[in-house]
Amino acid sequence: MTRGLRLIFLPMLLFCAGFSAPARAEVVVSFYSHDFGDRFPHAFVVLKGTVDATGEMVDANYGFTATSVSPAILFGSVKGKVESSKPDYIAKSDRQFEVTVDDATYARLLAKVDEWRTRDQPSYSLNKRNCVHFVMELAEIVGLAVNRKSKLFKKPKSFLMEVKELNPQLE
């Protein structure tokens, strides 16, 4: 092959190789709030994407709530559970922001979800361990600054907006 042809084909070959390289896998963690109503949880996360190391497709969501909503939650701890919401509930909720995470961070997120899922009962406390506390811990895992002394732990949307204000990179 002549030198001139090599100079033409080599850049074209490299250019085409860029298109055939596998896409980088990633998991996007979206933080949601749902205005108060009769369905729970009012703060939760949605995880979507692909785990880089395994190619596993991710499409999950997690929130934390009381197993049954009654006046008892006003007086102390009650049984709690990690719960996944149906697509219609997610569609009617507000995505406040999202963060893309690597495989190691995704694994830490799942470990934290499992930690909340397996806590000794009663595990839900309106003042100390509610859906906002749950998403706050997940926000910390993905590297976001949070206000652990926030006055907004009973206001999911306001709390997530506070997190957004503390993290200008989310804009």
Side-chain angles (χ1 to χ4, degrees), residues 1 3-21:
M1 185 180 285
R3 186 170 199 272
L5 286 176
R6 264 192 241 137
L7 288 174
I8 293 171
F9 285 118
L10 184 58
M12 285 178 33
L13 185 62
L14 291 173
F15 179 76
C16 292
F19 286 113
S20 65

Side-chain angles (χ1 to χ4, degrees), residues 113-159:
V113 168
D114 193 52
E115 177 188 313
W116 278 72
R117 181 181 285 123
T118 58
R119 286 189 172 182
D120 291 339
Q121 297 295 339
S123 63
Y124 181 93
S125 168
L126 187 59
N127 296 316
K128 297 177 186 171
R129 290 178 310 278
N130 66 28
C131 61
V132 178
H133 294 93
F134 175 74
V135 298
M136 176 191 67
E137 289 191 12
L138 298 180
E140 286 180 313
I141 288 172
V142 302
L144 299 176
V146 300
N147 177 5
R148 284 193 154 270
K149 295 183 181 197
S150 178
K151 305 257 188 261
L152 302 171
F153 285 114
K154 293 180 185 172
K155 298 180 177 183
K157 182 176 183 176
S158 297
F159 178 82

Side-chain angles (χ1 to χ4, degrees), residues 10-86:
L10 184 58
M12 285 178 33
L13 185 62
L14 291 173
F15 179 76
C16 292
F19 286 113
S20 65
R24 172 144 171 79
E26 56 192 26
V27 175
V28 176
V29 182
S30 301
F31 289 77
Y32 278 79
S33 64
H34 188 88
D35 290 334
F36 290 101
D38 61 348
R39 292 175 69 185
F40 302 90
H42 290 127
F44 59 95
V45 295
V46 173
L47 293 76
K48 288 186 183 254
T50 307
V51 177
D52 195 32
T54 64
E56 169 196 358
M57 296 297 294
V58 176
D59 187 0
N61 68 83
Y62 305 103
F64 184 72
T65 189
T67 57
S68 100
V69 179
S70 72
I73 66 170
L74 301 174
F75 302 107
S77 296
V78 297
K79 286 185 177 181
K81 65 179 176 179
V82 171
E83 181 174 87
S84 294
S85 297
K86 295 190 181 336

